[in-house]
Coordinates of all heavy atoms in Angstrom, one line a residue:
E298 N 76.2 110.1 36.5 CA 76.4 111.3 35.6 C 77.9 111.3 35.1 O 78.2 112.3 34.4 CB 76.1 112.6 36.3 CG 74.6 112.7 36.6 CD 74.2 114.0 37.3 OE1 75.0 115.0 37.1 OE2 73.2 114.1 37.9
S299 N 78.7 110.3 35.4 CA 80.1 110.3 34.9 C 80.4 109.2 34.0 O 81.4 109.3 33.3 CB 81.0 110.2 36.1 OG 80.8 111.3 37.0
Y300 N 79.6 108.2 34.0 CA 80.0 107.0 33.2 C 78.8 106.5 32.4 O 77.7 106.5 32.8 CB 80.5 105.9 34.1 CG 81.7 106.3 35.0 CD1 81.5 106.6 36.3 CD2 82.9 106.4 34.4 CE1 82.5 107.0 37.1 CE2 84.0 106.8 35.2 CZ 83.8 107.1 36.5 OH 84.8 107.6 37.3
N301 N 79.1 105.9 31.2 CA 78.1 105.3 30.4 C 78.5 103.8 30.3 O 79.6 103.4 30.1 CB 78.1 105.8 29.0 CG 77.5 107.2 28.8 OD1 76.6 107.5 29.7 ND2 77.9 107.9 27.8
F302 N 77.4 103.0 30.5 CA 77.5 101.6 30.2 C 76.8 101.3 28.9 O 75.6 101.5 28.8 CB 76.9 100.7 31.4 CG 77.7 100.7 32.6 CD1 77.6 101.7 33.6 CD2 78.6 99.6 32.8 CE1 78.4 101.6 34.7 CE2 79.4 99.5 34.0 CZ 79.3 100.6 34.9
T303 N 77.6 101.0 27.9 CA 77.0 100.8 26.6 C 77.1 99.3 26.3 O 78.0 98.6 26.6 CB 77.8 101.6 25.5 OG1 77.9 102.9 26.0 CG2 77.2 101.5 24.2
Y304 N 76.0 98.8 25.6 CA 76.0 97.3 25.3 C 75.4 97.0 24.0 O 74.6 97.7 23.4 CB 75.2 96.6 26.4 CG 73.8 97.0 26.5 CD1 72.8 96.4 25.7 CD2 73.4 98.0 27.3 CE1 71.5 96.7 25.8 CE2 72.0 98.4 27.4 CZ 71.1 97.7 26.6 OH 69.8 98.1 26.7
I305 N 75.8 95.8 23.5 CA 75.2 95.1 22.4 C 74.8 93.7 22.8 O 75.7 93.0 23.4 CB 76.1 95.0 21.2 CG1 76.5 96.4 20.6 CG2 75.5 94.2 20.0 CD1 77.6 96.4 19.6
N306 N 73.6 93.3 22.6 CA 73.2 92.0 23.0 C 72.6 91.3 21.7 O 71.7 91.8 21.1 CB 72.1 91.9 24.1 CG 71.7 90.5 24.4 OD1 70.9 89.9 23.6 ND2 72.1 90.0 25.5
E307 N 73.3 90.3 21.3 CA 72.9 89.5 20.1 C 73.2 88.0 20.3 O 74.2 87.7 20.9 CB 73.6 90.0 18.8 CG 73.2 91.3 18.4 CD 73.9 91.8 17.1 OE1 74.7 91.0 16.5 OE2 73.7 92.9 16.7
N308 N 72.3 87.2 20.0 CA 72.5 85.7 20.0 C 72.9 85.3 21.4 O 73.8 84.4 21.6 CB 73.5 85.3 19.0 CG 73.1 85.6 17.6 OD1 71.9 85.5 17.2 ND2 74.1 86.1 16.8
N309 N 72.2 85.8 22.4 CA 72.4 85.4 23.8 C 73.8 85.8 24.4 O 74.2 85.3 25.4 CB 72.2 83.9 24.0 CG 71.3 83.6 25.1 OD1 70.5 84.5 25.6 ND2 71.2 82.4 25.5
L310 N 74.5 86.7 23.7 CA 75.8 87.3 24.1 C 75.7 88.8 24.3 O 75.1 89.4 23.5 CB 76.9 87.0 23.1 CG 77.3 85.5 23.0 CD1 78.3 85.4 21.8 CD2 77.9 85.0 24.3
T311 N 76.3 89.2 25.4 CA 76.3 90.7 25.6 C 77.7 91.2 25.6 O 78.6 90.6 26.3 CB 75.6 91.0 27.0 OG1 74.3 90.6 27.0 CG2 75.6 92.5 27.3
Y312 N 77.9 92.2 24.9 CA 79.2 92.9 24.8 C 79.0 94.3 25.5 O 78.2 95.1 25.0 CB 79.7 93.1 23.4 CG 79.7 91.8 22.6 CD1 78.5 91.3 22.0 CD2 80.8 91.0 22.6 CE1 78.5 90.1 21.4 CE2 80.9 89.8 21.9 CZ 79.7 89.3 21.3 OH 79.7 88.1 20.7
L313 N 79.6 94.5 26.6 CA 79.3 95.7 27.4 C 80.6 96.4 27.8 O 81.6 95.8 28.0 CB 78.6 95.2 28.7 CG 78.2 96.3 29.7 CD1 76.8 96.0 30.3 CD2 79.2 96.4 30.9
S314 N 80.5 97.7 27.7 CA 81.7 98.5 28.1 C 81.2 99.7 29.0 O 80.1 100.1 29.1 CB 82.3 99.1 26.9 OG 81.5 100.1 26.3
M315 N 82.2 100.2 29.8 CA 82.0 101.4 30.6 C 83.0 102.4 30.1 O 84.2 102.1 30.0 CB 82.2 101.1 32.1 CG 82.0 102.3 33.0 SD 82.3 101.9 34.7 CE 83.8 102.9 34.9
S316 N 82.5 103.6 29.9 CA 83.4 104.7 29.5 C 82.9 106.0 30.2 O 81.9 106.1 30.7 CB 83.2 104.9 27.9 OG 81.9 105.2 27.6
D317 N 83.8 107.0 30.1 CA 83.5 108.3 30.6 C 82.4 108.8 29.7 O 82.3 108.6 28.5 CB 84.7 109.3 30.4 CG 85.9 108.9 31.3 OD1 85.6 108.5 32.4 OD2 87.0 108.9 30.8
T318 N 81.5 109.6 30.3 CA 80.4 110.2 29.5 C 80.8 111.1 28.4 O 80.1 111.3 27.4 CB 79.4 111.0 30.4 OG1 80.1 111.9 31.2 CG2 78.6 110.0 31.3
K319 N 82.0 111.7 28.6 CA 82.6 112.6 27.5 C 83.2 111.8 26.4 O 83.6 112.4 25.4 CB 83.6 113.5 28.2 CG 82.9 114.5 29.1 CD 83.9 115.4 29.7 CE 83.2 116.3 30.7 NZ 84.1 117.3 31.4
F320 N 83.4 110.5 26.5 CA 84.0 109.7 25.4 C 83.0 109.6 24.3 O 81.8 109.3 24.6 CB 84.4 108.3 26.0 CG 85.3 107.6 25.0 CD1 86.6 107.9 25.0 CD2 84.8 106.6 24.3 CE1 87.5 107.2 24.1 CE2 85.6 105.9 23.4 CZ 87.0 106.2 23.3
P321 N 83.4 109.8 23.1 CA 82.4 109.8 21.9 C 81.7 108.4 21.8 O 82.4 107.4 21.7 CB 83.3 110.0 20.7 CG 84.5 110.6 21.2 CD 84.7 110.1 22.6
N322 N 80.4 108.4 21.8 CA 79.6 107.2 21.7 C 79.9 106.4 20.5 O 79.8 105.2 20.5 CB 78.1 107.5 21.8 CG 77.3 106.3 22.1 OD1 77.6 105.5 23.0 ND2 76.3 106.1 21.4
D323 N 80.1 107.1 19.3 CA 80.4 106.3 18.1 C 81.7 105.5 18.2 O 81.8 104.4 17.7 CB 80.5 107.2 16.9 CG 81.4 108.4 17.0 OD1 81.8 108.8 18.1 OD2 81.9 108.9 15.9
Y324 N 82.7 105.9 19.0 CA 83.8 105.1 19.2 C 83.5 103.9 20.1 O 84.0 102.8 19.9 CB 85.0 105.9 19.9 CG 85.7 106.8 18.9 CD1 85.3 108.2 18.8 CD2 86.8 106.4 18.2 CE1 85.9 109.0 17.9 CE2 87.4 107.2 17.3 CZ 87.0 108.5 17.1 OH 87.7 109.3 16.3
V325 N 82.6 104.1 21.1 CA 82.3 103.0 22.0 C 81.5 101.9 21.2 O 81.8 100.7 21.3 CB 81.4 103.5 23.2 CG1 80.9 102.3 24.0 CG2 82.1 104.5 24.0
I326 N 80.6 102.3 20.3 CA 79.8 101.3 19.5 C 80.8 100.6 18.6 O 80.7 99.4 18.4 CB 78.7 102.0 18.7 CG1 77.6 102.6 19.7 CG2 78.1 101.1 17.7 CD1 76.9 101.6 20.5
S327 N 81.7 101.3 18.0 CA 82.7 100.7 17.1 C 83.6 99.7 17.9 O 83.9 98.6 17.4 CB 83.6 101.8 16.4 OG 82.8 102.5 15.5
F328 N 84.0 100.1 19.1 CA 84.7 99.2 19.9 C 84.0 97.9 20.2 O 84.5 96.8 20.1 CB 85.1 99.9 21.2 CG 85.5 99.0 22.3 CD1 86.7 98.4 22.3 CD2 84.6 98.7 23.4 CE1 87.1 97.5 23.3 CE2 85.0 97.8 24.4 CZ 86.2 97.2 24.4
L329 N 82.7 98.1 20.6 CA 81.9 96.9 20.9 C 81.7 96.0 19.7 O 81.8 94.8 19.8 CB 80.5 97.3 21.5 CG 80.6 97.9 22.9 CD1 79.2 98.4 23.3 CD2 81.1 96.9 24.0
E330 N 81.4 96.6 18.6 CA 81.3 95.8 17.3 C 82.6 95.1 17.0 O 82.6 94.0 16.5 CB 80.8 96.7 16.2 CG 79.4 97.2 16.4 CD 78.9 98.2 15.3 OE1 79.8 98.8 14.7 OE2 77.7 98.4 15.2

Side-chain angles (χ1 to χ4, degrees):
E298 298 181 20
S299 301
Y300 303 103
N301 284 335
F302 285 87
T303 307
Y304 63 87
I305 297 172
N306 179 284
E307 290 180 6
N308 302 319
N309 233 12
L310 290 173
T311 300
Y312 306 85
L313 182 138
S314 69
M315 184 183 107
S316 60
D317 296 317
T318 54
K319 293 180 182 180
F320 193 79
N322 194 49
D323 54 336
Y324 282 94
V325 177
I326 295 297
S327 294
F328 162 74
L329 290 172
E330 290 173 343

